[in-house]
């Protein structure tokens, strides 16, 4: 009897494979993010994917879309209610409190990068598992730190050559917001018939959500209603003015946008989103978002700890780079060989070269030299080392500079040392050319 064909499996709806074709883009985004974070003195933090569900209920908000509709939550085998993190700020503050980071020099500057989960309606740029990296500066109330976060955000997109605008607003602190909500609720009630069904429900529980609803009727209601900036107290207004002045100082491309109220409850004062330049507001899928959350640590059982941060979405940024020809990093060396003896020696050579920090590609299972050189070309290796039968006997190895087309014979015992010198010289040359603007 024939064996039944096994079932084939597909991705779960809303999930996405990051395929090798995206490698160059992802690598560029990740490396740019890490370099930026480290150059501004941010330390890496990694919190677990699973957290107590209540952590998000208490921080992101019971009536937020994330908590009401989008969390992957379940009861674990021990009976605890846990959720796969939908965002990174609340877990980081949990960790800050739990590990007594308040005793360290403030602000504590942290950065992170990893997967997050929201049971969202999937489409291009919106997934149920997505990746964010973010920067959080915890323990400082001065508006100059808001400017630092905005500066980093802007610098990141400048480095990648993605034109953006930072849509900025102030949510005030809870007292300002309470006054605004009352005024807005009264106004929106008078326009109830224009609201979508979701927003009719939001009118009572969470009227702020009407402001960032994408439905046309709700947008009309929101744009002609009261604005939160007109309800800010003196302290919140001064803070906001300072942030904008600092942004002007470093030419951050911001746009005042009263509709940026954000979908997470913990925000206070400065709030912002990163929008790709030239996209219609209705089609907007923000590339990033952030703001101050001065009350979050206290809400989670810690001491009063003002803080601000931003998170940027990798998938959406990657989509913005899709038409770019991003060069993968060239391997330093390709090793080609002929014959079993040479092949054996190559293993040791690869070990020695990679141990010295060089990147090495090979096709040791192939025996045809022409095929191997074709692969070396395809991989755009800077140098090719060729070890044939003659070289084995002479204890030499051939080094070919692929850009110059020049070849030289090296003493096999000195090969690693000599190749390292060539690779380093190549690095210096590329750096000089870049600095002189002759190459990218
Ligand atoms: P958020 O605006 O909810 O903020 O998310 C930040 C970014 O994550 C979005 O701008 C977007 O690029 C990306 N993102 C969100 N949901 C999805 C999705 N379903 N698919 C693909 N990308 C998505 C936060 O999460 C806050 N924790 C940001 C923050 C940090 N505030 C202060 N510090």
């Amino acid at each position: 009897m024939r064996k039944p064909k096994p079932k084939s499996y597909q991705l779960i709806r809303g999930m996405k494979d990051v395929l090798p074709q995206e490698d160059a883009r992802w690598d560029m985004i990740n490396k740019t993010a890490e370099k930026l974070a480290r150059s501004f003195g941010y330390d890496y933090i990694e919190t677990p994917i699973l957290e107590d569900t209540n952590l998000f209920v208490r921080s992101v908000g019971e009536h937020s879309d994330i908590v009401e509709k989008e969390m992957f939550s379940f009861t674990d085998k021990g009976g605890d209610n846990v959720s796969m993190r939908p965002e990174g700020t609340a877990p980081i503050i949990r960790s800050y409190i739990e590990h007594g980071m308040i005793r360290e020099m403030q602000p504590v500057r942290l950065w992170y990068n990893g997967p997050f989960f929201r049971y969202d309606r999937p489409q291009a740029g919106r997934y149920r598992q997505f990746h964010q990296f973010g920067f959080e500066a915890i323990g400082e109330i001065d508006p100059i730190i808001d400017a630092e976060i905005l500066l980093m955000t802007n610098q990141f997109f400048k480095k990648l050559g993605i034109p953006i605008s930072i849509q900025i607003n102030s949510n005030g602190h809870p007292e300002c917001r309470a006054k605004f909500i009352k005024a807005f609720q009264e106004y929106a009630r008078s326009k109830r018939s224009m609201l979508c069904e979701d927003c009719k429900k939001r009118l009572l529980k969470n009227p702020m959500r009407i402001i960032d609803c994408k439905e046309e009727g709700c947008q009309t209601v929101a744009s002609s209603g009261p604005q939160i900036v007109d309800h800010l107290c003196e302290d919140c207004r001064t803070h906001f003015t300072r942030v904008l002045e600092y942004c002007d100082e470093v030419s951050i491309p911001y746009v005042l946008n009263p509709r940026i109220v954000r979908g997470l409850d913990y925000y206070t004062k400065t709030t912002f989103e990163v929008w790709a330049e030239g996209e219609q507001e209705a089609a907007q899928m923000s590339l990033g978002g952030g703001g101050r959350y001065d009350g979050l640590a206290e809400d989670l059982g810690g001491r009063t700890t003002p803080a601000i941060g931003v998170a940027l979405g990798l998938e959406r940024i990657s989509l913005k780079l899709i038409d770019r020809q991003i060069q993968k990093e060239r391997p330093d060396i390709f090793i080609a060989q002929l014959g079993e003896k040479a092949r054996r020696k190559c293993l040791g050579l690869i070990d020695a070269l990679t141990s010295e920090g060089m990147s090495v590609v090979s096709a040791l299972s192939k025996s045809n030299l022409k095929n191997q050189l074709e692969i070396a070309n395809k991989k755009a290796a800077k140098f090719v080392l060729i070890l044939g039968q003659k070289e084995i006997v002479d204890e030499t190895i051939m080094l070919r500079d692929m850009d110059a087309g020049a070849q030289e014979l090296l003493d096999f015992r000195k090969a690693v040392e000599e190749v390292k010198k060539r690779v380093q010289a190549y690095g210096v040359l590329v750096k000089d050319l870049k600095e002189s603007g002759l190459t990218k």
Side-chain angles (χ1 to χ4, degrees):
M1 212 171 75
R2 277 179 62 188
K3 248 172 100 177
K5 199 167 172 254
K7 178 181 179 323
S8 62
Y9 294 91
Q10 267 119 38
L11 274 172
I12 293 174
R13 190 166 137 79
M15 301 290 159
K16 180 183 171 306
D17 292 319
V18 180
L19 296 170
Q21 294 91 294
E22 283 179 81
D23 180 18
R25 269 183 280 149
W26 273 67
D27 190 42
M28 183 163 94
I29 298 169
N30 282 322
K31 284 196 175 130
T32 309
E34 169 157 13
K35 219 169 151 194
L36 186 71
R38 298 210 184 276
S39 65
F40 276 79
Y42 282 63
D43 293 327
Y44 186 72
I45 182 165
E46 190 162 324
T47 59
I49 284 171
L50 284 182
E51 297 273 0
D52 185 327
T53 295
N54 271 324
L55 172 68
F56 301 109
V57 177
R58 298 254 314 265
S59 55
V60 174
E62 198 182 344
H63 299 298
S64 64
D65 279 358
I66 293 180
V67 169
E68 268 190 349
K69 306 182 199 161
E70 296 172 0
M71 291 228 286
F72 283 86
S73 304
F74 57 93
T75 310
D76 69 12
K77 289 189 166 61
D80 292 326
N81 288 327
V82 295
S83 291
M84 290 164 80
R85 59 181 190 184
E87 65 97 47
T89 310
I92 286 177
I93 291 297
R94 190 250 329 120
S95 177
Y96 173 94
I97 299 168
E98 197 169 341
H99 299 286
M101 289 187 224
I102 198 150
R103 290 189 294 272
E104 291 168 24
M105 198 171 70
Q106 307 292 305
V108 172
R109 291 179 165 91
L110 303 170
W111 78 280
Y112 55 97
N113 187 352
F116 293 87
F117 305 83
R118 295 183 193 173
Y119 198 82
D120 222 332
R121 196 154 32 91
Q123 64 187 92
R126 181 172 295 142
Y127 308 98
R128 290 180 178 169
Q129 174 175 335
F130 57 96
H131 296 76
Q132 280 184 351
F133 63 88
F135 315 121
E136 313 284 349
I138 309 165
E140 179 57 73
I141 200 161
D142 196 301
I144 196 82
I145 214 83
D146 304 36
E148 175 176 300
I149 290 285
L150 289 161
L151 178 64
M152 290 173 78
T153 305
N154 190 43
Q155 215 183 83
F156 172 80
F157 288 100
K158 250 174 50 189
K159 280 183 197 290
L160 290 189
I162 301 175
I164 53 132
S165 68
I166 293 182
Q167 306 282 321
I168 196 166
N169 193 19
S170 174
N171 263 8
H173 54 36
E175 290 80 48
C176 312
R177 210 161 47 247
K179 277 191 209 147
F180 165 71
I181 290 175
K182 199 160 168 272
F184 184 79
Q185 206 168 23
E186 242 163 61
Y187 157 79
R189 226 180 254 143
S190 70
K191 308 277 178 202
R192 194 171 187 279
S193 59
M194 289 171 72
L195 299 176
C196 72
E197 288 312 306
D198 270 349
C199 283
K200 280 181 183 147
K201 286 183 210 143
R202 288 172 177 147
L203 242 179
L204 264 182
K205 286 196 211 155
N206 198 353
M208 296 274 278
R209 293 280 65 73
I210 299 172
I211 300 170
D212 58 13
C213 175
K214 294 250 157 57
E215 296 294 326
E216 208 184 317
C218 308
Q219 288 198 2
T220 314
V221 171
S223 56
S224 39
Q227 297 190 352
I228 194 157
V229 277
D230 300 324
H231 291 77
L232 298 182
C233 67
E234 193 55 37
D235 174 43
C236 289
R237 200 168 323 129
T238 310
H239 185 100
F240 194 38
T241 311
R242 281 274 156 73
V243 173
L244 300 181
E245 283 168 2
Y246 294 138
C247 285
D248 289 333
E249 188 70 33
V250 279
S251 306
I252 290 170
Y254 67 82
V255 175
L256 292 175
N257 185 340
R259 300 195 46 213
I260 301 298
V261 289
R262 314 272 296 132
L264 303 91
D265 279 5
Y266 51 62
Y267 287 112
T268 53
K269 294 187 176 169
T270 315
T271 46
F272 61 92
E273 279 182 14
V274 181
W275 288 8
E277 202 184 74
E279 252 171 42
Q280 293 295 315
E281 183 174 342
Q284 268 308 327
M285 269 207 228
S286 60
L287 301 178
R292 266 204 172 268
Y293 46 94
D294 292 346
L296 181 57
E298 224 175 325
D299 289 346
L300 296 178
R303 281 200 251 151
T304 312
T305 311
I308 179 160
V310 63
L312 305 168
L314 261 104
E315 284 79 1
R316 293 187 190 173
I317 296 166
S318 175
L319 277 173
K320 287 283 155 224
L321 298 172
I322 205 157
D323 297 327
R324 288 270 187 94
Q325 287 300 324
I326 298 165
Q327 287 276 326
K328 271 187 121 166
E329 254 179 49
R330 294 175 68 182
D332 294 323
I333 299 143
F334 183 90
I335 295 197
Q337 38 67 44
L338 267 176
E340 182 54 28
K341 265 195 184 153
R343 189 165 28 174
R344 276 173 196 232
K345 272 199 144 180
C346 280
L347 269 182
L349 193 55
I350 292 172
D351 185 19
L353 290 164
T354 49
S355 301
E356 285 295 321
M358 287 170 266
S359 55
V360 183
V361 178
S362 62
L364 294 188
S365 60
K366 304 238 178 308
S367 49
N368 181 315
L369 187 62
K370 194 164 160 253
N371 286 351
Q372 293 181 60
L373 293 179
E374 271 168 18
I375 299 171
N377 253 326
K378 223 168 148 186
K379 298 272 177 195
K382 297 167 196 162
F383 299 94
V384 176
L385 280 170
I386 307 169
L387 192 61
Q389 277 138 0
K390 182 164 184 325
E391 285 83 8
I392 293 278
V393 175
D394 298 347
E395 299 200 350
T396 56
I397 189 162
M398 182 73 80
L399 175 73
R400 185 181 289 178
D401 179 329
M402 295 300 272
D403 292 340
Q407 292 200 149
E408 60 182 308
L409 209 53
L410 304 176
D411 178 340
F412 189 85
R413 282 158 306 189
K414 294 197 181 135
V416 175
E417 194 186 316
E418 286 299 316
V419 172
K420 193 173 174 186
K421 274 191 219 154
R422 309 294 193 284
V423 168
Q424 280 170 345
Y426 177 93
V428 172
L429 179 71
V430 169
K431 194 166 167 265
D432 286 351
L433 286 173
K434 267 191 191 157
E435 278 168 10
S436 64
L438 289 172
T439 184
K440 273 206 206 163

